[in-house]
Amino acid sequence: MTNILIFGHKNPDTDSICSAIVYNNLKRLQGMDTEAVRLGELNDETKYALEYFNVSAPRLVEELKEGQHVILVDHNEFQQSANGIEKAVIREVIDHHRIANFETAGPLYYRAEPLGCTATILKKIYEEQSVHIDKQMAGLMLSALISDSLLLKSPTCTLRDKVAAEELAKIAGVNLEEYGLAMLKAGASTKDKKAEELITLDAKEFILGDDKLIVAQINTVDEKEVADRKEELANAINSEISKKSLSAFVFVITNILTSNSEVLVLGAKQDKVAAAFGKTLANDFMTLEGVVSRKKQVVPQITEEFTK
């Protein structure tokens, strides 16, 4: 059994997968017995990045064994982590999200910074420890950054993220804009995906007081293409609500070209979700102009409404 597993959250996105690989590369170079793994299936965007830079996908882990040593990247909340995380030994956390529902029995190295992407933190760690960033690792960090920031357009994207992206693009030998748009478009096709897949591709669970919600997001170049499948989506979402006893399910459909989102909200407390944005739902939908970031423009507003 590998001594230490490194992984991101369930329903992994590009940052989650790439950051696990990049941090594993650093740890292996330093002589540690680590392995990058994943907690779910890869989305098309992540597949594009891995194939472009000729990097193999991490193996899938469905449940941790008791006493397994782990390092978490791109998350910290237990409900978003591996099955069995409560019986694992958490050695480190590298993250850029809020800290919630997190507790360990012993001390650990914890690094959380308010940046647009976990990969930006990892680039800093490589530089701090004077470790060379090769073309592959630069490409993966860049891919993670592009994904989390929607090609540097998200309000979560800081100046440090933008500088890092420019530097990483040079090392990776790609044009930032051209590669970024191609990667995002690779992950934006929805026609061949079932509703059940669309709502779980990038879904995160949040516990807000006595309420449990899921906020899922998908990027597209045509939000109407997704929204027109409302009946199919609603059936899949209502099944999730019943199965997981959710107060609400929030499905954010983000157009990567216009930077606007159509949001489908279902569940007993759907109106409370809408109230968080000063909106009234129309056929269970609301439009959020200029909203692309779940972390900064969706979750904080819902959290405030549900915990006040």
Side-chain angles (χ1 to χ4, degrees):
M1 183 172 72
T2 301
N3 188 30
I4 306 172
L5 299 181
I6 304 177
F7 51 81
H9 51 75
K10 292 177 180 177
N11 303 313
D13 57 12
T14 302
D15 187 23
S16 209
I17 293 294
C18 290
S19 288
I21 297 171
V22 167
Y23 203 39
N24 178 63
N25 178 71
L26 175 64
K27 294 298 185 182
R28 300 285 293 184
L29 287 173
Q30 295 174 336
M32 293 183 66
D33 181 18
T34 61
E35 179 189 6
V37 297
R38 58 186 169 90
L39 305 185
E41 297 305 316
L42 302 180
N43 62 41
D44 290 340
E45 177 190 279
T46 307
K47 289 178 183 177
Y48 180 91
L50 295 183
E51 290 172 5
Y52 190 97
F53 291 103
N54 194 28
V55 178
S56 299
R59 71 178 175 92
L60 177 67
V61 169
E62 296 183 342
E63 182 151 2
L64 300 177
K65 296 179 179 179
E66 186 166 359
Q68 173 69 62
H69 286 227
V70 302
I71 294 174
L72 311 185
V73 296
D74 197 35
H75 76 295
N76 66 81
E77 299 186 50
F78 276 21
Q79 70 271 18
Q80 297 175 8
S81 198
N83 295 330
I85 188 64
E86 68 282 346
K87 58 188 179 184
V89 178
I90 302 175
R91 300 277 297 264
E92 298 183 36
V93 176
I94 312 293
D95 194 16
H96 69 126
H97 295 93
R98 70 173 194 167
I99 301 170
N101 306 314
F102 182 85
E103 183 177 352
T104 61
L108 75 162
Y109 177 79
Y110 197 114
R111 183 157 179 172
E113 298 190 37
L115 297 172
C117 181
T118 306
T120 306
I121 304 173
L122 294 180
K123 180 178 182 292
K124 291 174 65 177
I125 294 174
Y126 267 71
E127 293 168 346
E128 290 164 2
Q129 300 185 15
S130 300
V131 177
H132 172 68
I133 299 174
D134 63 24
K135 181 176 180 177
Q136 278 187 322
M137 293 303 106
L140 294 187
M141 284 189 258
L142 176 65
S143 300
L145 239 168
I146 290 169
S147 176
D148 265 19
S149 69
L150 276 185
L151 197 47
L152 312 183
K153 294 179 182 178
S154 171
T156 62
C157 186
T158 68
L159 177 59
R160 183 176 286 275
D161 292 303
K162 293 176 181 178
V163 171
E166 293 169 358
E167 293 174 351
L168 290 167
K170 290 180 181 178
I171 299 172
V174 298
N175 179 283
L176 175 58
E177 291 289 330
E178 291 177 2
Y179 171 75
L181 192 57
M183 189 193 80
L184 291 176
K185 284 186 174 180
S189 176
T190 63
K191 290 182 179 179
D192 60 342
K193 293 181 175 64
K194 295 180 179 180
E196 291 80 4
E197 185 180 0
L198 289 176
I199 67 168
T200 57
L201 274 172
D202 186 7
K204 290 186 177 181
E205 187 176 299
F206 298 91
I207 297 174
L208 306 175
D210 295 329
D211 295 295
K212 182 164 64 172
L213 292 81
I214 283 180
V215 182
Q217 184 173 28
I218 187 167
N219 295 330
T220 180
V221 293
D222 182 6
E223 68 273 26
K224 191 173 183 297
E225 178 184 285
V226 182
D228 282 350
R229 298 169 64 181
K230 196 278 177 95
E231 183 177 352
E232 183 187 356
L233 290 167
N235 289 336
I237 288 172
N238 284 325
S239 176
E240 285 290 290
I241 290 172
S242 177
K243 183 170 61 177
K244 298 181 179 178
S245 301
L246 303 174
S247 296
F249 191 110
V250 184
F251 184 47
V252 184
I253 308 164
T254 300
N255 188 315
I256 62 175
L257 302 179
T258 66
S259 297
N260 295 326
S261 293
E262 289 296 316
V263 186
L264 173 60
V265 189
L266 294 172
K269 295 191 176 180
Q270 62 176 173
D271 289 338
K272 192 167 185 177
V273 172
F277 303 92
K279 298 281 186 175
T280 300
L281 297 175
N283 193 28
D284 301 318
F285 276 97
M286 61 180 172
T287 301
L288 299 181
E289 295 86 357
V291 169
V292 298
S293 170
R294 171 175 51 195
K295 184 180 74 171
K296 194 165 185 176
Q297 295 175 297
V298 178
V299 173
Q301 289 79 355
I302 294 174
T303 298
E304 182 179 358
E305 180 68 26
F306 274 76
T307 56
K308 66 182 182 181

